[in-house]
Amino acid sequence: MSSQKTRLRCDICGRRFKKGGTRYRIHLEIVSDFNGYIQDFSKKPEDFLEKKIEKILKQTEDMTEEELQEEVYLKRNLLVCINCREKFIRFLKKINK
Ligand SMILES: [Zn+2]
């Protein structure tokens, strides 16, 4: 017996998988890529950085720790039905234009 939890529903549309029906796995990984560009703050007003940090803190104060981590690293393993697989591929093609 496998201790692994069997997922019976599509992770995207929630539809139940039929016994023996086709399922697809999507491994999604998004990693923040630092572009090496560091702004020269010496030419900015003294409180520029302070204000910038304040602004970032304000933007992120409503975010959970999980959401903040996802800004840098996001990993998802999805189990999807054939319809959602097609939808996902269409979506990828659309954003790749
Ligand atoms: Zn689906």
Side-chain angles (χ1 to χ4, degrees):
M1 285 287 153
S2 171
S3 62
Q4 209 184 346
K5 224 164 75 180
T6 317
R7 282 184 287 179
L8 297 166
R9 288 173 187 275
C10 167
D11 283 334
I12 294 177
C13 70
R15 214 175 64 171
R16 258 178 205 283
F17 293 119
K18 285 180 196 138
K19 248 189 182 175
T22 317
R23 297 182 296 196
Y24 297 89
R25 280 182 196 282
I26 300 173
H27 300 286
L28 187 70
E29 190 173 30
I30 303 172
V31 185
S32 172
D33 187 39
F34 179 54
N35 66 6
Y37 175 73
I38 298 165
Q39 236 178 314
D40 183 6
F41 291 110
S42 62
K43 292 180 188 110
K44 305 275 184 195
E46 239 173 74
D47 63 345
F48 173 80
L49 197 60
E50 213 172 287
K51 278 186 175 159
K52 200 175 171 102
I53 291 167
E54 238 171 69
K55 201 178 158 194
I56 293 168
L57 286 176
K58 248 204 152 86
Q59 283 171 343
T60 55
E61 68 185 0
D62 293 333
M63 291 169 86
T64 64
E65 201 181 324
E66 200 184 340
E67 283 173 329
L68 286 173
Q69 281 173 0
E70 285 181 354
E71 287 279 298
V72 182
Y73 184 77
L74 174 79
K75 194 171 181 179
R76 289 279 185 280
N77 288 311
L78 301 168
L79 193 62
V80 302
C81 68
I82 189 162
N83 289 336
C84 291
R85 174 191 174 272
E86 297 306 317
K87 266 191 255 173
F88 192 78
I89 289 168
R90 255 181 279 148
F91 169 73
L92 288 180
K93 282 179 181 164
K94 210 168 109 185
I95 59 169
N96 200 23
K97 270 179 189 164

